[in-house]
Amino acid sequence: METLKRDRSPLGDGLALLVCGALAGVLTAAAAFPLFATGGIFAGDSIEAFESLPTELTQSALPQTSYVYASDGETLITSFYEENRREVSLDDVDPVMIDALLAAEDSKFYEHNGVDWAGIARAALANQSGGDSQGASTLTMQFVRNTLIYSASTIDEVIEASEDTYDRKLREARFAMAVEDTMSKEDILQGYLNVIYLGNQAYGIHAGAYTYFNKPPSDLELHEAATLAALPKFPSYADGLLDGEGDDANIIERRNWVLGRMAELGTISESEADEAADQPLGFDPRPERNECVDVTKNSWGFFCDYFKSWWGDQEAFGETERDRLSLLKRGGFRIVTSLDPDLQNAATEEIQDRIDNDDERALGSVTITPGTGHIRAMAVNRVFSLDQSDNGPRSDGEDGLSNYPNTTIPLLSGNNQVHGFPSGSTMKMFTMLAALEEGWPLRTTLPSPQRYTSSYPADSSLDSACGSQIEPGVSHWCPSNDGGYASGSPLDMWGMFGKSSNTGFVQLQEMIGTEKAVEMAERLGLTFYNDSGVDANRDNLDRYGVFTLGMGDTTTPLDMAEAYATVAAGGNHCEPLPVTQIIGADGTEWAEAAAPDCEQVIDEDIALAAASAAHCPVYYGADGTRCVGGTAREADGFDHPIIGKTGTADSDRSYWFIGSTSAATTATFVGDPDNSANDNLASGFHDQVRSTGVDILERAAEGLDNHGWDSPPGSVVNGENLVSIPGIGCEDPDSARSKIAGAGFDATIASGRYDSDCPEGQAFSTSVTGSAPSGAPIQILVSNGSDYEEPDEDDDEDDEDDDGGGGPGNTVPPSPGSRDD
């Protein structure tokens, strides 16, 4: 704010300006300022009262439009404003506009000292004689009035600044004289040009020039300038005209009057005035976009909505969300976002080629940049619109509006109410990362049976329950592989991730503990809301076995792209970022607010190891990988080094493909926003999701430095400082636990009982055999006696069963799964 202070007494100015003589002065005072003629108040008292009026005029910052552009800095996405205004300097306005405005509003602007006393006298005489009511506000007084309105903090102050009373005019005159003492004529004129209202939500000459003629005020022609000069007093004359409606007679008459006044004043010739008066209005309005439902292309609405949400979360823009959004709508920012319009349009086309907007299935994709978090595309087969009156029926049978084809639900980014879609096997990445971080090497080999008896509990009535009961009504959870693709020979991490072995990853999760896998997912950017599986099991995550298979949690494509981009960036996690540059109205760059927010959250060697395994699902045989098979055959032959993962949610409720080069990460999904439990929704649509994701990633990677990844070091491939796990053979569980703990492991006795040929109640093996990182959690398995046979008296005593010494990372049977097939 700028405070305009009184430098000297206005008494001399007031007296000097009473050029109409004593009689005119009395008439002026009586007509315009009744205070001067109030009983008992003489001229000296009136002057003293006038001099005592306030002179400090506080100029509040005018609300200005913020413009939001795509990554090229030229393509307008939308704008945000409370009042459509952009402040300009006087140098940015064609002189013909200034001449037209002064002719219409204040032809003696450069002659008076804020108050046109002669004009007031004429107005007073005309008003007293019963003629047409006349005003006498100078351009300076109008500037003062608008400034008082904008600086008002209460509705009463607004009324006081705008009511049609002589008291208001007296205050304006007093302020105007003080303003003229402290501001140049050019500054006053510039302030006026930026504050005036010109109808059709256009505030200031910049907005007016674009709203009516789609050009800057520096390019206005004579007839256009005269049209705009006609509007400060009569903004309603333009109502409806931009839509081809209404009567243009009033505005043409007023425009031609302005042209006549300009000719009278000699700023244009009579012939120029006549020629301009013959011109049509020639309106060529620029669409004034506001908010995300009014973006340049509808498919950009979901990105715009995320940008607005992001802005509202940034403390740099204010203390509260309301303050931050108010700043966006008033601050006059130039904002360059990370949205790549070509990629966004290409992604939208890829999606719409495969599925219509009015399908209950949402097919969507998000692309971000590893190492910065910049969001380049957010596309989905939906129309971003508030009008959902003709939407289709909800798939869950509930009353209310569905999400297709029109919605503003943040399907791609989520929020506290929208939690995304079942995540499926994409969650295996976090279990693998946690295991690698705990010291389990890539060559760790686990059985991959068709069905595995885990240590996790399950309701005995479920099809996924099997084995002995852990407690009444609770049996072991027994996950299965999808078909026979991943079943058979033991698999190392390359094979488990490439073939997406459910039974192998459940064992891996048992080895590290669910809590570590969950913590890894959150570290890389996933958010678990309070009705999700993780949050519902926070108190006892080690009983929550389904995490690694993505059966209990939902997530968003933005979260998944963020997480996998962290791996692609060598463990450098970056918060999703929708902007690249923010420039304030005064030209100051808000560099810190637009800077990537990144942190190294996992060791680079761990990320390289995960990337090595993640080559396998997408058929990319990089050096050092030991891939067998893959679940995303559409990526075979991709033009750049690539990592990725597919994911099928339980009962085919959703399907995912996540792919990444070192320069672009894309997460693509199909799911039902209305009903995450919609069984078989993705059935038969897996190929389309993968091909959509691969094609979008191909477009996203074009022209970028997709340099690939280094091979992981031997320490994470083969392990280091691994410790042999002592063998267990038909012995007391407490004794076995002591033996394992004594070798340097975190030993516990597993809940439940497992099939074995040892007597019931005896320990017979460990959850992991061979060798393991020192301190790793190792469970002692206790027999249920199912295969135990009483020895014949003549038989020699069995040799002790020693399962140790299987080599670094070798965790081949015996294991629970190998005894339940």
Side-chain angles (χ1 to χ4, degrees):
M1 293 185 179
E2 179 184 354
T3 300
L4 306 180
K5 297 183 178 180
R6 170 187 177 187
D7 285 342
R8 56 188 176 87
S9 169
L11 181 56
D13 292 323
L15 293 175
L17 288 168
L18 293 177
V19 295
C20 294
L23 179 59
V26 171
L27 288 173
T28 299
F33 307 129
L35 174 64
F36 288 13
T38 303
I41 300 180
F42 298 95
D45 295 328
S46 300
I47 293 172
E48 184 179 343
F50 181 75
E51 187 180 14
S52 68
L53 290 172
T55 59
E56 294 186 4
L57 181 64
T58 300
Q59 282 187 272
S60 298
L62 295 174
Q64 295 193 68
T65 301
S66 292
Y67 292 98
V68 182
Y69 297 92
S71 59
D72 58 12
E74 298 178 357
T75 303
L76 182 68
I77 296 175
T78 192
S79 56
F80 291 87
Y81 60 81
E82 290 180 359
E83 293 180 356
N84 179 23
R85 174 189 286 107
R86 193 77 176 178
E87 290 192 56
V88 294
S89 70
L90 211 57
D91 293 337
D92 295 324
V93 182
D94 194 288
V96 73
M97 182 68 241
I98 298 172
D99 290 341
L101 191 65
L102 293 179
E105 295 296 320
D106 190 353
S107 61
K108 295 185 178 181
F109 174 68
Y110 283 103
E111 300 172 17
H112 62 65
N113 202 20
V115 181
D116 182 5
W117 295 104
I120 290 176
R122 286 194 302 272
L125 288 170
N127 295 342
Q128 283 200 337
S129 65
D132 291 339
S133 177
Q134 295 186 19
S137 292
T138 64
L139 187 147
T140 307
M141 292 173 68
Q142 294 180 53
F143 170 68
V144 165
R145 182 185 317 141
N146 281 285
T147 299
L148 289 171
I149 291 171
Y150 278 105
S151 62
S153 57
T154 67
I155 188 62
D156 289 339
E157 291 179 357
V158 174
I159 294 172
E160 183 181 21
S162 56
E163 61 185 348
D164 190 15
T165 67
Y166 291 118
D167 284 345
R168 188 210 81 203
K169 285 185 177 294
L170 185 63
R171 289 193 306 274
E172 283 180 8
R174 185 68 182 89
F175 275 125
M177 294 171 69
V179 165
E180 294 266 358
D181 282 342
T182 56
M183 292 179 69
S184 69
K185 288 287 187 180
E186 288 71 22
D187 287 342
I188 295 170
L189 183 56
Q190 178 175 297
Y192 179 78
L193 284 166
N194 284 314
V195 78
I196 51 175
Y197 178 59
L198 298 173
N200 285 293
Q201 301 303 308
Y203 293 82
I205 194 62
H206 180 276
Y210 276 103
T211 296
Y212 292 102
F213 302 109
N214 196 16
K215 61 175 60 175
S218 59
D219 293 346
L220 291 169
E221 298 179 37
L222 174 57
H223 70 284
E224 296 167 339
T227 301
L228 294 179
L231 291 173
K233 272 193 175 64
F234 304 101
S236 62
Y237 281 2
D239 287 352
L241 298 183
L242 297 183
D243 298 323
E245 302 176 356
D247 186 356
D248 61 6
N250 285 334
I251 193 171
I252 289 176
E253 181 182 1
R254 175 70 176 171
R255 178 199 69 177
N256 293 347
W257 175 86
V258 173
L259 292 168
R261 282 289 293 153
M262 293 177 73
E264 288 177 17
L265 295 169
T267 54
I268 61 172
S269 66
E270 290 285 352
S271 61
E272 288 174 322
D274 292 341
E275 182 180 351
D278 289 337
Q279 295 290 326
L281 289 174
F283 287 153
D284 179 25
R286 179 179 75 173
E288 290 301 334
R289 305 191 179 281
N290 192 17
E291 301 276 349
C292 297
V293 293
D294 196 21
V295 290
T296 301
K297 284 195 174 183
N298 181 269
S299 65
W300 301 355
F302 292 96
F303 174 87
C304 175
D305 187 59
Y306 178 77
F307 157 76
K308 182 180 177 182
S309 176
W310 172 86
W311 185 284
D313 287 339
Q314 304 307 304
E315 294 181 0
F317 303 130
E319 291 187 4
T320 67
E321 181 183 22
R322 181 176 181 179
D323 292 339
R324 298 159 194 161
L325 294 179
S326 177
L327 180 64
L328 175 62
K329 297 175 183 179
R330 296 172 60 89
F333 291 96
R334 170 184 166 80
I335 302 160
V336 180
T337 70
S338 55
L339 180 72
D340 181 336
D342 293 336
L343 178 61
Q344 174 71 26
N345 296 340
T348 301
E349 290 174 8
E350 290 285 352
I351 288 168
Q352 291 178 340
D353 283 347
R354 292 175 172 85
I355 193 167
D356 293 332
N357 290 346
D358 59 356
D359 196 302
E360 67 182 27
R361 295 170 297 178
L363 175 61
S365 185
V366 172
T367 302
I368 70 175
T369 302
T372 66
H374 286 133
I375 304 170
R376 295 178 57 201
M378 298 179 76
V380 65
N381 63 321
R382 292 293 184 267
V383 177
F384 192 83
S385 174
L386 294 170
D387 181 9
Q388 291 140 38
S389 56
D390 293 330
N391 278 13
R394 289 180 62 94
S395 60
D396 58 5
E398 298 289 334
D399 294 332
L401 298 173
S402 72
N403 72 88
Y404 64 94
N406 297 348
T407 189
T408 57
I409 297 172
L411 303 179
L412 302 169
S413 54
N415 57 25
N416 288 332
Q417 288 75 44
V418 181
H419 303 164
F421 307 88
S423 49
S425 290
T426 57
M427 305 297 280
K428 289 173 180 172
M429 171 62 78
F430 310 115
T431 303
M432 180 170 65
L433 283 167
L436 289 165
E437 191 171 72
E438 288 297 301
W440 297 97
L442 277 171
R443 63 171 292 185
T444 297
T445 304
L446 295 171
S448 186
Q450 178 59 28
R451 198 179 196 199
Y452 170 69
T453 303
S454 78
S455 62
Y456 297 112
D459 189 301
S460 297
S461 64
L462 298 177
D463 291 340
S464 58
C466 71
S468 59
Q469 287 196 345
I470 298 173
E471 55 192 63
V474 178
S475 299
H476 291 274
W477 175 53
C478 302
S480 300
N481 286 327
D482 184 14
Y485 178 65
S487 303
S489 302
L491 299 171
D492 56 23
M493 288 194 192
W494 289 286
M496 283 194 294
F497 203 73
K499 290 190 170 187
S500 198
S501 169
N502 291 341
T503 56
F505 266 93
V506 170
Q507 294 173 70
L508 195 62
Q509 180 176 285
E510 286 178 319
M511 290 158 53
I512 61 168
T514 307
E515 187 172 354
K516 287 186 173 64
V518 169
E519 189 275 334
M520 178 62 72
E522 292 177 325
R523 204 191 310 171
L524 269 62
L526 265 64
T527 299
F528 299 106
Y529 294 94
N530 56 16
D531 63 350
S532 68
V534 164
D535 269 9
N537 291 274
R538 286 283 184 189
D539 293 338
N540 198 352
L541 283 175
D542 282 338
R543 291 175 63 89
Y544 183 51
V546 300
F547 173 78
T548 197
L549 305 188
M551 295 173 61
D553 293 286
T554 58
T555 189
T556 66
L558 181 59
D559 275 7
M560 273 298 176
E562 174 187 353
Y564 275 70
T566 302
V567 177
N572 186 28
H573 169 260
C574 299
E575 295 290 340
L577 183 62
V579 300
T580 61
Q581 187 180 53
I582 302 172
I583 299 176
D586 61 355
T588 301
E589 184 167 0
W590 293 48
E592 187 173 347
D597 180 10
C598 301
E599 180 185 2
Q600 192 75 26
V601 296
I602 52 177
D603 186 84
E604 184 178 10
D605 289 347
I606 301 300
L608 289 174
S612 180
H615 287 311
C616 299
V618 290
Y619 287 81
Y620 184 78
D623 292 342
T625 62
R626 304 177 186 180
C627 296
V628 285
T631 57
R633 56 185 175 275
E634 286 79 4
D636 191 11
F638 195 81
D639 289 342
H640 310 287
I642 182 176
I643 62 174
K645 184 73 182 76
T646 58
T648 308
D650 191 33
S651 301
D652 240 339
R653 294 169 178 172
S654 66
Y655 185 76
W656 295 76
F657 170 73
I658 304 171
S660 184
T661 69
S662 59
T665 303
T666 296
T668 306
F669 79 101
V670 66
D672 185 349
D674 284 342
N675 182 13
S676 62
N678 192 342
D679 289 353
N680 299 313
L681 174 108
S683 180
F685 205 69
H686 294 192
D687 293 351
Q688 291 93 322
V689 175
R690 292 193 302 268
S691 59
T692 300
V694 169
D695 289 347
I696 293 174
L697 182 61
E698 190 84 57
R699 292 294 298 270
E702 286 180 1
L704 302 180
D705 180 17
N706 303 282
H707 52 72
W709 298 268
D710 293 335
S711 297
S715 59
V716 292
V717 172
N718 301 309
E720 58 182 358
N721 301 321
L722 299 180
V723 178
S724 293
I725 303 171
I728 302 296
C730 297
E731 58 186 275
D732 178 74
D734 287 330
S735 174
R737 180 176 58 185
S738 297
K739 182 191 298 183
I740 300 301
F745 299 103
D746 180 12
T748 58
I749 297 175
S751 59
R753 302 292 174 92
Y754 298 83
D755 295 346
S756 88
D757 55 5
C758 287
E760 181 179 3
Q762 286 194 343
F764 67 93
S765 188
T766 52
S767 56
V768 182
T769 60
S771 57
S774 177
I778 304 292
Q779 291 188 325
I780 311 301
L781 306 182
V782 179
S783 174
N784 60 14
S786 61
D787 298 330
Y788 175 68
E789 294 181 3
E790 291 287 344
D792 293 335
E793 292 181 2
D794 295 337
D795 286 347
D796 294 331
E797 188 179 28
D798 290 338
D799 294 331
E800 182 178 354
D801 182 11
D802 186 350
D803 298 319
N810 183 7
T811 52
V812 181
S815 77
S818 66
R819 286 171 293 281
D820 191 60
D821 295 339

